[in-house]
Amino acid sequence: MYPQDALKKWHSGQGLWKTVPKESWNKWSWQVNNSIKTLDELKTLINLTKEEEDGCKFSEEKLLMSITPYFFNLIDRDDPNCPIRKQVIPRSSERIIMPEEMLDPVGEEPHMPVQGLVHKYPDRVLFLVTSFCGSYCRYCTRSRLVSNAQNYDFHPAYEKAIAYIEKTPSIRDVLISGGDPLLLPDKKIGMLLKRLRSIPHVEFIRIGTRIPVFMPQRITPLLCQYFEENGPIWMSIHVNHPKECTLELKEACKKLLMASVVLGNQSVLLKEINDSVNTMRSLCHRLLQMGVKPYYIYQCDLITGSSHFRTDVQKGIDIISQLRGHTTGYAVPQLVIDAPGGGGKIPLNPETIHKITEKSIFLKNYQKEIYEYPLFAPQSPLKMVEPTCMKK
Ligand SMILES: *Cc1c(COP(=O)(O)O)cnc(C)c1O
């Protein structure tokens, strides 16, 4: 559908909101305050299908709807199957609950020593600092607490969380996420980064956010200053489709890069949205052009009401095997399943080991050709030979 070079243009501009003054449009507070949150507002902007209309009603008790005007503009309003549309406009399929689906699909609740702090791996923690997002992804793995539609009553306890990190010297990596941490005011973000940076054993600080994608206007000079002062900050953004790679996002990434922020991307494999090699290749190529390393592709978590988004596991493996070796190594993300029940992220790789014999490993390359490599390292020093090239 979107072959390698089908998207010649990088989308940009105010689209439906042409008459809004540029200064307003470019303020992130304007994007927040004018986000589309109700069925009535949405209906004035787009012809909804019956499924979508019903989905919007149900969203109030599941995961609220919210779409920034900037992101809404990326929707092709004539196409009910638009890959952007399906990510943020609810559909009635969200009501369907499969037996294998769960409210806490990756098992976070049992690993929270403090509310909002998930300590699953010994050396790193996931620090959930808010339950709000710029827009709500309909396949959200944390929909139980995000947007507060399910009455989770989320109250991040910053002081308790920081105290826990301070007294746990095994934690060397703090991943700040949510909700979306970049919805917090600049000062609060600056304060959090400074506090974490002052803990001697915390050597790696990263932020998980989709705000640059939903609202590139959020990447302000003051925010970048806080990143730079406490850097290097590592950041995982969340782009799923090449259409999301706009000039505005590229510009936001450039500002982050200039502030020594190291950028990676996480995508979720979504049925009929990005589950084709052409779409994924085009996405990964565009990410590289923005200075973003494709980090993970997730098999869609078993979150309640997400069956319409889920692909067969083999689909992801096939996509990776058609990228690995066929394009720049940097462009190939790691496919993972975040294990149900709290086992953490587990990589899935196409088979590259053809066979192992007593002496050799036989490897399969990207063109399915077989190559032999000795299995064992040399056991005793080999006889020294003076390299002939060095002789005069
Ligand atoms: C994803 C995740 C991390 C970070 O995992 P990496 O593989 O290091 O990126 C840490 N803690 C939790 C709970 C996570 O879900």
Side-chain angles (χ1 to χ4, degrees):
M1 241 206 203
Y2 292 94
Q4 195 163 347
D5 54 356
L7 291 175
K8 289 235 165 61
K9 240 181 76 198
W10 289 60
H11 185 281
S12 74
Q14 292 184 211
L16 282 178
W17 286 267
K18 269 187 202 61
T19 57
V20 172
K22 225 191 184 96
E23 312 85 75
S24 306
W25 177 262
N26 288 330
K27 273 201 192 110
W28 69 282
S29 57
W30 188 91
Q31 294 289 333
V32 171
N33 293 333
N34 289 277
S35 285
I36 300 132
K37 295 183 175 209
T38 66
L39 175 57
D40 288 342
E41 286 171 86
L42 188 60
K43 276 179 22 188
T44 65
L45 298 166
I46 191 170
N47 289 321
L48 294 178
T49 63
K50 265 215 178 71
E51 255 208 76
E52 289 169 330
E53 207 164 305
D54 177 60
C56 285
K57 287 173 191 154
F58 182 58
S59 67
E60 284 167 33
E61 51 192 276
K62 195 217 165 196
L63 171 71
L64 298 187
M65 174 179 66
S66 181
I67 311 169
T68 58
Y70 162 82
F71 197 71
F72 187 88
N73 267 338
L74 304 184
I75 294 176
D76 175 353
R77 289 180 300 137
D78 297 325
D79 180 8
N81 290 314
C82 168
I84 305 297
R85 176 176 186 146
K86 288 178 178 169
Q87 292 184 55
V88 289
I89 298 184
R91 284 175 282 167
S92 49
S93 315
E94 289 182 25
R95 292 177 185 270
I96 302 169
I97 301 174
M98 304 302 280
E100 66 274 20
E101 291 179 341
M102 295 164 264
L103 284 170
D104 179 20
V106 299
E108 293 178 334
E109 293 295 334
H111 294 276
M112 287 201 201
V114 172
Q115 191 179 52
L117 196 72
V118 186
H119 193 186
K120 212 189 257 184
Y121 301 97
D123 71 330
R124 48 210 197 276
V125 283
L126 172 62
F127 188 1
L128 308 178
V129 295
T130 173
S131 56
F132 298 104
C133 283
S135 298
Y136 294 109
C137 310
R138 303 319 303 170
Y139 49 86
C140 178
T141 201
R142 231 163 265 137
S143 51
R144 70 183 185 284
L145 68 83
V146 159
S147 93
N148 292 324
Q150 297 183 23
N151 302 315
Y152 182 100
D153 203 23
F154 182 75
H155 292 289
Y158 297 155
E159 286 308 323
K160 277 191 187 163
I162 292 171
Y164 177 87
I165 297 168
E166 275 170 343
K167 66 162 205 253
T168 315
S170 65
I171 299 170
R172 41 162 290 285
D173 170 358
V174 178
L175 163 51
I176 305 169
S177 185
D180 203 310
L182 296 195
L183 276 186
L184 299 181
D186 292 333
K187 266 200 177 149
K188 192 143 210 170
I189 295 170
M191 179 279 289
L192 270 172
L193 295 178
K194 198 166 164 218
R195 293 285 301 276
L196 292 170
R197 197 47 96 193
S198 73
I199 304 172
H201 51 270
V202 174
E203 52 189 55
F204 191 73
I205 301 176
R206 48 176 161 170
I207 295 175
T209 174
R210 204 178 185 186
I211 285 286
V213 178
F214 286 140
M215 212 190 291
Q217 296 84 357
R218 173 68 185 98
I219 308 306
T220 58
L222 184 58
L223 183 65
C224 288
Q225 189 190 314
Y226 287 134
F227 289 152
E228 184 146 37
E229 283 171 7
N230 297 285
I233 300 297
W234 291 61
M235 184 179 283
S236 291
I237 61 173
H238 173 24
V239 187
N240 284 327
H241 192 279
K243 282 182 88 174
E244 294 160 46
C245 300
T246 62
L247 285 182
E248 287 91 338
L249 176 58
K250 198 176 184 190
E251 198 52 42
C253 289
K254 189 172 168 188
K255 289 178 190 163
L256 292 165
L257 292 167
M258 305 254 280
S260 305
V261 177
V262 185
L263 294 172
N265 183 64
Q266 318 194 76
S267 297
V268 180
L269 195 59
L270 299 166
K271 190 177 178 176
E272 286 153 17
I273 290 177
N274 61 9
D275 61 340
S276 80
V277 192
N278 283 340
T279 303
M280 269 299 166
R281 189 197 301 113
S282 164
L283 169 62
C284 293
H285 287 174
R286 282 195 163 207
L287 289 167
L288 292 192
Q289 290 172 71
M290 301 193 300
V292 182
K293 162 79 182 89
Y295 181 39
Y296 283 145
I297 297 188
Y298 293 89
Q299 167 69 9
C300 187
D301 290 333
L302 298 171
I303 181 70
T304 308
S306 65
S307 56
H308 53 305
F309 284 116
R310 207 158 314 113
T311 59
D312 295 341
V313 169
Q314 188 61 43
K315 192 74 170 241
I317 298 172
D318 290 346
I319 289 174
I320 298 298
S321 60
Q322 290 171 81
L323 292 178
R324 174 60 66 201
H326 296 276
T327 183
T328 315
Y330 277 115
V332 185
Q334 175 66 60
L335 174 66
V336 292
I337 291 185
D338 207 337
K345 297 175 184 73
I346 304 177
L348 293 183
N349 293 312
E351 206 53 73
T352 55
I353 301 178
H354 177 63
K355 66 176 173 182
I356 299 179
T357 63
E358 247 170 70
K359 286 185 175 165
S360 298
I361 183 167
F362 290 82
L363 299 162
K364 193 164 37 174
N365 82 349
Y366 71 105
Q367 288 170 318
K368 308 219 178 345
E369 298 157 342
I370 307 298
Y371 291 85
E372 182 179 357
Y373 188 91
L375 206 48
F376 300 107
Q379 292 302 297
S380 56
L382 301 173
K383 210 173 102 194
M384 282 282 209
V385 186
E386 214 175 313
T388 47
C389 61
M390 286 177 108
K391 277 187 192 157
K392 269 269 149 109

